[in-house]
Amino acid sequence: MQHIYLKKKIVLQFYIFRMKKILITGGAGFIGSHVVRLFVNKYPHYDIYNLDALTYAGNLENLTDIDQKPNYHFIKGDIVNGEFIQKLFEEHQFDGVIHLAAESHVDRSIANPMEFIFTNVVGTVNLLNAARLIWKDNAERKRFYHISTDEVYGSLGETGSFKETTPYRPHSPYSAAKASSDHFVRAYHDTYGLPTVISNCSNNYGPNQFPEKLLPLFINNIKHSKPLPVYGKGINVRDWLYVEDHANAIDTIFHFGRDGETYNIGGNNEWRNIDIIKKLIEIVDAKLGRPAGTSLPLITYVTDRAGHDLRYAIDATKLKTELGWEPKIKFTEGFEKTVDWYLANEKWLDNVTSGAYVDYYHKMYDNK
Ligand code: NAD
Ligand code: TYD
């Protein structure tokens, strides 16, 4: 098994060096920016095109350390615009697509589901159509990689974990839209032979996450001594993976995953919300030089999220045995790094929360 894997790896390495143009969608977002950075630095012979609409969640400041590199290109554009996407693919003739662009926040999907259907479903199908058209005569050594979530599988009870074969049972408009996009990706593989691969990952944490998600929101609130709104009883369980581990898994699957397959990605790191919140309070208080327990009274139990999934857990055996991937960053290390990053990057937090980022964008791109 290991022998076949190595042989395959050598053959694939040969193809890798011939691949030139990779489109990464949503590269200005949280996970996308880590993927773009990894690819730009690790593969100088690839041209990396970052396509992003720069919604509230997209932020070019996430990429200032690599945006002057010759193999990095930014394109501002909306994947919902099918005509634009078609032209873009015809112009650039991409060899590979790593698709992360999405509306990604469950609470927003409850408030406004249509945005999620447009971007996550229609946007994904636009990309599939464009890839299908430019690769119709030769799909060899091409790859359409769709990044998805474990939330498509629905909710677990106290035990068990999601496998790649677990039936889809999404509960939120976000996860329903992601599930729908996964189905289209699989359908384009089965119907048209499009060389696709999908991965479903658990909750990511790390630098550059928009402060509407649990951890960055709570770090910011602890810092400003604002209430910490815990949904329901705080007993929901999530599996947490450091974002750079996810980016490395994406690199592995993009290059070595098998066409038509799905891979689950997880951190083997389950936490009840209330426990991870208490851990966060402990660390942030200590780093801010406050006495232990100072911020515990900020915990405020609020009305539960509608349709709130109780528990997510991932069985990532397939990814480990087939492609040799495992998470590398220990939780204590990743968690400390995350807190340090948000505390050190006050300006980043202020910018994304104040709307000052729009000014940055105009300054950077209006005259280009
Ligand atoms: P994010 O919200 O931080 O970033 C999304 C990016 O997509 C932003 O840069 C945004 O500007 C861009 N975008 C949104 N709509 C667009 C459109 N119509 N056209 C072009 N660009 C558009 O999201 P994230 O947390 O980085 O998630 C990235 C992907 O990973 C998503 O597909 C998400 O479903 C998936 N995922 C996320 C997690 C997680 O914990 N965050 C876990 C598993 C899977
Ligand atoms: P979130 O970061 O929104 O990720 P997801 O919903 O995709 O898992 O939320 C993580 C968990 O934290 C989830 O169970 C909902 C809960 N939560 C709160 O209790 N309060 C909050 O203010 C937020 C944003 C989330």
Side-chain angles (χ1 to χ4, degrees), residues 29-94:
F30 167 46
I31 302 170
S33 60
H34 289 273
V35 176
V36 166
R37 176 176 300 102
L38 177 68
F39 273 67
V40 165
N41 286 332
K42 187 169 173 185
Y43 303 107
H45 54 291
Y46 287 2
D47 272 313
I48 303 299
Y49 291 81
N50 170 15
L51 169 66
D52 200 297
L54 299 181
T55 67
Y56 76 94
N59 186 348
L60 291 174
E61 276 188 75
N62 293 345
L63 292 165
T64 46
D65 57 325
I66 56 103
D67 66 5
Q68 298 305 314
K69 298 230 171 176
N71 65 332
Y72 172 75
H73 316 273
F74 175 68
I75 301 163
K76 185 174 189 287
D78 188 344
I79 59 169
V80 180
N81 182 342
E83 212 175 303
F84 160 74
I85 292 296
Q86 201 67 55
K87 284 197 184 125
L88 188 75
F89 275 63
E90 277 163 19
E91 184 189 342
H92 292 289
Q93 298 290 318
F94 301 114

Side-chain angles (χ1 to χ4, degrees), residues 276-289:
I276 204 167
I277 289 163
K278 285 183 177 160
K279 186 85 200 151
L280 193 68
I281 289 172
E282 185 190 310
I283 293 178
V284 179
D285 274 347
K287 286 191 187 285
L288 292 174

Side-chain angles (χ1 to χ4, degrees), residues 105-107 151 174 203 212-215 217-218 229-231 236 238 240 273 277 305 308-309 312:
H105 191 41
V106 173
D107 295 327
E151 303 190 23
Y174 163 65
N203 285 56
E212 64 187 354
K213 304 274 167 64
L214 182 74
L215 296 180
L217 177 72
F218 278 32
V230 178
Y231 298 161
N236 306 68
R238 298 290 181 263
W240 295 94
N273 288 344
I277 289 163
R305 173 187 278 172
H308 198 173
D309 288 330
Y312 303 142

